[in-house]
Amino acid sequence: MPLVHFFETSFGRTYSRKMLLVEVVSGGVSGWGEVTCGEHPYYNEEWTEGAWELLKHYIVPSSLGKTLGSAAEAGGHTRGMKGHKMARGGFEASCWDLEARLKGMPLWKLIGGGARKEIPCGVSIGIQDSVEQLLEKIRKEVEAGYQRIKMKIKPGWDVDVIRAVRREFPSILLMADANSAYTLADIGHLKQLDEFQLMMIEQPLAHDEIIDHAQLQAALSTPICLDECIRTAHHAEQAIRLGACRIINIKLGRVGGHAEARRVHDVCEKAGIPVWSGGMLECGVGRAHNIAMATLSNFTLPGDISASQRYWKRDVIEPWVEVSPHGTIAVRDDPGFGYPLDLDFLTSVRVRLESFSAQ
Ligand code: OSB
Ligand code: MG
C-alpha cells in the first residue's frame, strides 16, 4: 500500500509498504495479527520476505493442529526459534485477537489493560527535503491536536534542524529519534541537544548496544529512550540496571507479542520507567493491536499511534483509526482488537495468500 507521504529515517526512505498479515482461524472465528517488520533488514534484521519464509517453514508447522489453551501459550510454540520476534509476534498477536473474539471480549481486557479509555497520541515525522517542509508538517500536526512531536534525526539533520524547530515551537513536547545513527565518538555532538528541552532522544546508538547507551546517558541530561535494543523483558532489566535509559518504547512486534510486551511493561513500571507505544507504519491491524497494548497502566506517555489517514488513502479496517482534536484515540469495546476488517479492500490489495489447514 502506498504511503500518503514518504517516511524517511536515518536508515532510508519508504514510499510504500508491503505488509504481512496473519489470520488464525478456529471454530469458524478469525483472529488477525500484523508482522511489523520493514521491507528491508535496516531497522533490525527482519524483513517481509524473510518473515514470510519463517512463518511458512517454522511458525505455522510449530502450531498447526495443536491445541492452544490460551493465547498466553502461543509464544511458547515458537520459543525455540532465535530472533525473528516480529514474525513470531505477528502470529502471537493473532492468537490473542482470536481468543478475545472467541470470548466476545475486547482485547485490551484480555491482556490486562483498560487503565484508560483514551490513548494519548503523538506523531513521528520523518526526515524531510527541507527544514521549511518539516516546520510545515509540525505545524499541521500540532494544529490537528497531537500531543507530542517526534522528529527523525541523523548526522547532518540534527542540531541545527532541532534549533530551527525549537525557535518556531518553543513549548511543544518534542523528541528526536536517531535509529542508531551515532556512536560514542559523537558524545560531544549529542551533548549539544541538551539545550533544547527534548523529552527524550530515542535510540541514538547501535541497535544491539545497551552498554554504550549507559555511558552516553551518564553524559547527557536529556533522557535516553531505548527502542531497537529492547527485545525482551530481560533487556529492559539490564538497560535499567545499567542506567542506559530513562524511558522505554515498547513495540509489540519487536518484543515478540503481547505476552512479552506485558512483561517489559511490568519491569518498567516496577522500576519507575515510563513507556509508550512505538509504531512501525502499521496498517489498521497492527495499529489496533497497539491501541489495546497502550491501555496498560504504565503507557503514560503519548506514543507513535496516530490516525490511519496520516499513512493511508484507505485502511484495511473500518472504521479507520481516528484521533480527536485533543490528540487522543478512543478505545473501542468491540470484541478482539475492536475494529472490523474491511475484507473487500484487503482482498483488492492482496498480492499473495498462502493457507494452511490441519485437516
Ligand atoms: O524507530 O520508531 C521507529 C517507523 C519505521 C521504523 C522505525 C520507526 C518508525 C517510526 C514510525 O518512528 C512510527 C509510526 O508512525 O508508525
Ligand atoms: Mg524508534
Side-chain angles (χ1 to χ4, degrees), residues 1-9 11 13-21 34-41 43 46-49 51 86 279-284 286-287 290 310-312 315-316 345 349-351:
M1 287 178 12
L3 286 165
V4 166
H5 188 269
F6 68 78
F7 190 79
E8 183 173 328
T9 64
F11 57 79
R13 191 177 271 200
T14 305
Y15 290 93
S16 70
R17 299 285 342 272
K18 186 161 84 175
M19 286 162 291
L20 173 46
L21 299 182
E34 178 168 345
V35 175
T36 62
C37 62
E39 291 73 29
H40 305 285
Y43 165 78
E46 296 192 74
W47 59 304
T48 313
E49 292 292 342
M86 291 170 157
M280 290 295 292
L281 311 176
E282 292 93 339
C283 71
R287 200 165 295 281
N290 290 344
R310 289 191 65 248
Y311 306 83
W312 318 114
D315 205 341
V316 302
F345 178 60
V349 292
R350 191 173 68 206
V351 293

Side-chain angles (χ1 to χ4, degrees), residues 43 150 152 177 179 202-203 227-228 249 251:
Y43 165 78
K150 158 168 146 185
K152 294 288 190 176
D177 185 0
N179 287 107
E202 184 179 346
Q203 195 70 37
D227 172 352
E228 283 90 326
N249 156 341
K251 285 183 181 163

Side-chain angles (χ1 to χ4, degrees), residues 232-253:
T232 63
H234 186 58
H235 288 155
E237 278 167 6
Q238 290 179 314
I240 294 166
R241 198 185 325 139
L242 290 170
C245 63
R246 297 190 199 131
I247 298 170
I248 285 178
N249 156 341
I250 301 183
K251 285 183 181 163
L252 185 60

